PDB file of all heavy atoms in Angstrom:
ATOM      1  N   PRO A  62      11.448  -6.788  10.953  1.00 78.00           N
ATOM      2  CA  PRO A  62      10.879  -5.556  11.502  1.00 78.00           C
ATOM      3  C   PRO A  62      11.598  -4.320  10.960  1.00 78.00           C
ATOM      4  O   PRO A  62      12.820  -4.329  10.787  1.00 78.00           O
ATOM      5  CB  PRO A  62      11.106  -5.682  13.003  1.00 78.00           C
ATOM      6  CG  PRO A  62      11.417  -7.109  13.249  1.00 78.00           C
ATOM      7  CD  PRO A  62      11.990  -7.663  11.977  1.00 78.00           C
ATOM      8  N   ASN A  63      10.837  -3.282  10.714  1.00 77.00           N
ATOM      9  CA  ASN A  63      11.413  -2.023  10.245  1.00 77.00           C
ATOM     10  C   ASN A  63      12.025  -1.306  11.445  1.00 77.00           C
ATOM     11  O   ASN A  63      11.324  -0.850  12.330  1.00 77.00           O
ATOM     12  CB  ASN A  63      10.345  -1.156   9.597  1.00 77.00           C
ATOM     13  CG  ASN A  63      10.899   0.145   9.055  1.00 77.00           C
ATOM     14  OD1 ASN A  63      12.091   0.396   9.146  1.00 77.00           O
ATOM     15  ND2 ASN A  63      10.032   0.957   8.497  1.00 77.00           N
ATOM     16  N   LYS A  64      13.328  -1.187  11.440  1.00 79.00           N
ATOM     17  CA  LYS A  64      14.033  -0.529  12.546  1.00 79.00           C
ATOM     18  C   LYS A  64      14.452   0.890  12.187  1.00 79.00           C
ATOM     19  O   LYS A  64      15.047   1.579  12.993  1.00 79.00           O
ATOM     20  CB  LYS A  64      15.243  -1.357  12.956  1.00 79.00           C
ATOM     21  CG  LYS A  64      14.833  -2.708  13.515  1.00 79.00           C
ATOM     22  CD  LYS A  64      16.015  -3.555  13.889  1.00 79.00           C
ATOM     23  CE  LYS A  64      15.498  -4.883  14.421  1.00 79.00           C
ATOM     24  NZ  LYS A  64      16.485  -5.892  14.497  1.00 79.00           N
ATOM     25  N   ASP A  65      14.126   1.314  10.967  1.00 75.00           N
ATOM     26  CA  ASP A  65      14.467   2.665  10.514  1.00 75.00           C
ATOM     27  C   ASP A  65      13.523   3.656  11.177  1.00 75.00           C
ATOM     28  O   ASP A  65      12.309   3.536  11.061  1.00 75.00           O
ATOM     29  CB  ASP A  65      14.349   2.751   8.999  1.00 75.00           C
ATOM     30  CG  ASP A  65      14.956   4.014   8.437  1.00 75.00           C
ATOM     31  OD1 ASP A  65      15.049   5.015   9.167  1.00 75.00           O
ATOM     32  OD2 ASP A  65      15.327   4.001   7.250  1.00 75.00           O
ATOM     33  N   GLU A  66      14.050   4.610  11.875  1.00 78.00           N
ATOM     34  CA  GLU A  66      13.231   5.588  12.593  1.00 78.00           C
ATOM     35  C   GLU A  66      13.036   6.886  11.816  1.00 78.00           C
ATOM     36  O   GLU A  66      12.446   7.831  12.335  1.00 78.00           O
ATOM     37  CB  GLU A  66      13.867   5.894  13.960  1.00 78.00           C
ATOM     38  CG  GLU A  66      13.922   4.686  14.888  1.00 78.00           C
ATOM     39  CD  GLU A  66      12.541   4.160  15.267  1.00 78.00           C
ATOM     40  OE1 GLU A  66      11.600   4.969  15.398  1.00 78.00           O
ATOM     41  OE2 GLU A  66      12.401   2.935  15.408  1.00 78.00           O
ATOM     42  N   HIS A  67      13.511   6.949  10.587  1.00 80.00           N
ATOM     43  CA  HIS A  67      13.351   8.159   9.774  1.00 80.00           C
ATOM     44  C   HIS A  67      11.864   8.393   9.503  1.00 80.00           C
ATOM     45  O   HIS A  67      11.082   7.457   9.347  1.00 80.00           O
ATOM     46  CB  HIS A  67      14.122   8.008   8.455  1.00 80.00           C
ATOM     47  CG  HIS A  67      14.209   9.284   7.698  1.00 80.00           C
ATOM     48  ND1 HIS A  67      13.248   9.670   6.793  1.00 80.00           N
ATOM     49  CD2 HIS A  67      15.128  10.269   7.724  1.00 80.00           C
ATOM     50  CE1 HIS A  67      13.581  10.840   6.285  1.00 80.00           C
ATOM     51  NE2 HIS A  67      14.721  11.226   6.835  1.00 80.00           N
ATOM     52  N   ALA A  68      11.458   9.646   9.427  1.00 80.00           N
ATOM     53  CA  ALA A  68      10.047  10.007   9.224  1.00 80.00           C
ATOM     54  C   ALA A  68       9.474   9.431   7.938  1.00 80.00           C
ATOM     55  O   ALA A  68       8.269   9.213   7.833  1.00 80.00           O
ATOM     56  CB  ALA A  68       9.904  11.523   9.219  1.00 80.00           C
ATOM     57  N   SER A  69      10.321   9.165   6.940  1.00 80.00           N
ATOM     58  CA  SER A  69       9.827   8.628   5.675  1.00 80.00           C
ATOM     59  C   SER A  69       9.664   7.112   5.707  1.00 80.00           C
ATOM     60  O   SER A  69       9.338   6.500   4.702  1.00 80.00           O
ATOM     61  CB  SER A  69      10.757   9.017   4.524  1.00 80.00           C
ATOM     62  OG  SER A  69      11.996   8.342   4.646  1.00 80.00           O
ATOM     63  N   GLU A  70       9.879   6.500   6.853  1.00 79.00           N
ATOM     64  CA  GLU A  70       9.701   5.055   7.027  1.00 79.00           C
ATOM     65  C   GLU A  70       8.643   4.813   8.103  1.00 79.00           C
ATOM     66  O   GLU A  70       8.948   4.470   9.227  1.00 79.00           O
ATOM     67  CB  GLU A  70      11.034   4.392   7.424  1.00 79.00           C
ATOM     68  CG  GLU A  70      12.101   4.481   6.371  1.00 79.00           C
ATOM     69  CD  GLU A  70      11.740   3.719   5.107  1.00 79.00           C
ATOM     70  OE1 GLU A  70      10.975   2.738   5.164  1.00 79.00           O
ATOM     71  OE2 GLU A  70      12.239   4.107   4.034  1.00 79.00           O
ATOM     72  N   PRO A  71       7.370   5.007   7.745  1.00 80.00           N
ATOM     73  CA  PRO A  71       6.315   4.917   8.759  1.00 80.00           C
ATOM     74  C   PRO A  71       6.078   3.495   9.252  1.00 80.00           C
ATOM     75  O   PRO A  71       6.298   2.534   8.536  1.00 80.00           O
ATOM     76  CB  PRO A  71       5.087   5.433   8.017  1.00 80.00           C
ATOM     77  CG  PRO A  71       5.340   5.054   6.603  1.00 80.00           C
ATOM     78  CD  PRO A  71       6.832   5.235   6.416  1.00 80.00           C
ATOM     79  N   LYS A  72       5.638   3.419  10.463  1.00 82.00           N
ATOM     80  CA  LYS A  72       5.216   2.148  11.022  1.00 82.00           C
ATOM     81  C   LYS A  72       3.773   1.885  10.577  1.00 82.00           C
ATOM     82  O   LYS A  72       3.011   2.796  10.273  1.00 82.00           O
ATOM     83  CB  LYS A  72       5.276   2.192  12.556  1.00 82.00           C
ATOM     84  CG  LYS A  72       6.641   2.557  13.113  1.00 82.00           C
ATOM     85  CD  LYS A  72       7.624   1.436  12.918  1.00 82.00           C
ATOM     86  CE  LYS A  72       8.925   1.743  13.620  1.00 82.00           C
ATOM     87  NZ  LYS A  72      10.085   1.610  12.801  1.00 82.00           N
ATOM     88  N   ARG A  73       3.397   0.622  10.558  1.00 85.00           N
ATOM     89  CA  ARG A  73       2.053   0.218  10.143  1.00 85.00           C
ATOM     90  C   ARG A  73       0.983   0.992  10.917  1.00 85.00           C
ATOM     91  O   ARG A  73       0.012   1.470  10.343  1.00 85.00           O
ATOM     92  CB  ARG A  73       1.895  -1.283  10.356  1.00 85.00           C
ATOM     93  CG  ARG A  73       0.549  -1.829   9.966  1.00 85.00           C
ATOM     94  CD  ARG A  73       0.474  -3.331  10.295  1.00 85.00           C
ATOM     95  NE  ARG A  73      -0.741  -3.914   9.824  1.00 85.00           N
ATOM     96  CZ  ARG A  73      -1.901  -3.866  10.474  1.00 85.00           C
ATOM     97  NH1 ARG A  73      -1.962  -3.231  11.641  1.00 85.00           N
ATOM     98  NH2 ARG A  73      -2.978  -4.414   9.966  1.00 85.00           N
ATOM     99  N   GLU A  74       1.176   1.125  12.213  1.00 85.00           N
ATOM    100  CA  GLU A  74       0.189   1.770  13.068  1.00 85.00           C
ATOM    101  C   GLU A  74      -0.072   3.222  12.669  1.00 85.00           C
ATOM    102  O   GLU A  74      -1.148   3.754  12.910  1.00 85.00           O
ATOM    103  CB  GLU A  74       0.629   1.710  14.534  1.00 85.00           C
ATOM    104  CG  GLU A  74       0.742   0.311  15.105  1.00 85.00           C
ATOM    105  CD  GLU A  74       1.979  -0.450  14.636  1.00 85.00           C
ATOM    106  OE1 GLU A  74       3.014   0.183  14.324  1.00 85.00           O
ATOM    107  OE2 GLU A  74       1.900  -1.689  14.556  1.00 85.00           O
ATOM    108  N   ALA A  75       0.916   3.872  12.062  1.00 86.00           N
ATOM    109  CA  ALA A  75       0.772   5.280  11.696  1.00 86.00           C
ATOM    110  C   ALA A  75      -0.141   5.481  10.488  1.00 86.00           C
ATOM    111  O   ALA A  75      -0.735   6.547  10.343  1.00 86.00           O
ATOM    112  CB  ALA A  75       2.145   5.883  11.403  1.00 86.00           C
ATOM    113  N   LEU A  76      -0.276   4.470   9.631  1.00 89.00           N
ATOM    114  CA  LEU A  76      -1.031   4.652   8.387  1.00 89.00           C
ATOM    115  C   LEU A  76      -2.207   3.701   8.211  1.00 89.00           C
ATOM    116  O   LEU A  76      -3.110   3.988   7.416  1.00 89.00           O
ATOM    117  CB  LEU A  76      -0.097   4.500   7.180  1.00 89.00           C
ATOM    118  CG  LEU A  76       1.023   5.525   7.054  1.00 89.00           C
ATOM    119  CD1 LEU A  76       1.865   5.223   5.824  1.00 89.00           C
ATOM    120  CD2 LEU A  76       0.474   6.928   6.977  1.00 89.00           C
ATOM    121  N   ILE A  77      -2.225   2.577   8.905  1.00 91.00           N
ATOM    122  CA  ILE A  77      -3.231   1.549   8.631  1.00 91.00           C
ATOM    123  C   ILE A  77      -4.661   2.075   8.789  1.00 91.00           C
ATOM    124  O   ILE A  77      -5.563   1.652   8.073  1.00 91.00           O
ATOM    125  CB  ILE A  77      -2.994   0.275   9.479  1.00 91.00           C
ATOM    126  CG1 ILE A  77      -3.802  -0.904   8.934  1.00 91.00           C
ATOM    127  CG2 ILE A  77      -3.296   0.525  10.941  1.00 91.00           C
ATOM    128  CD1 ILE A  77      -3.388  -1.398   7.582  1.00 91.00           C
TER     129      ILE A  77
END
Side-chain angles (χ1 to χ4, degrees):
N63 182 1
K64 296 178 181 165
D65 192 335
E66 297 297 326
H67 190 271
S69 69
E70 296 295 333
K72 304 289 187 231
R73 180 183 186 277
E74 297 75 28
L76 297 179
I77 195 67

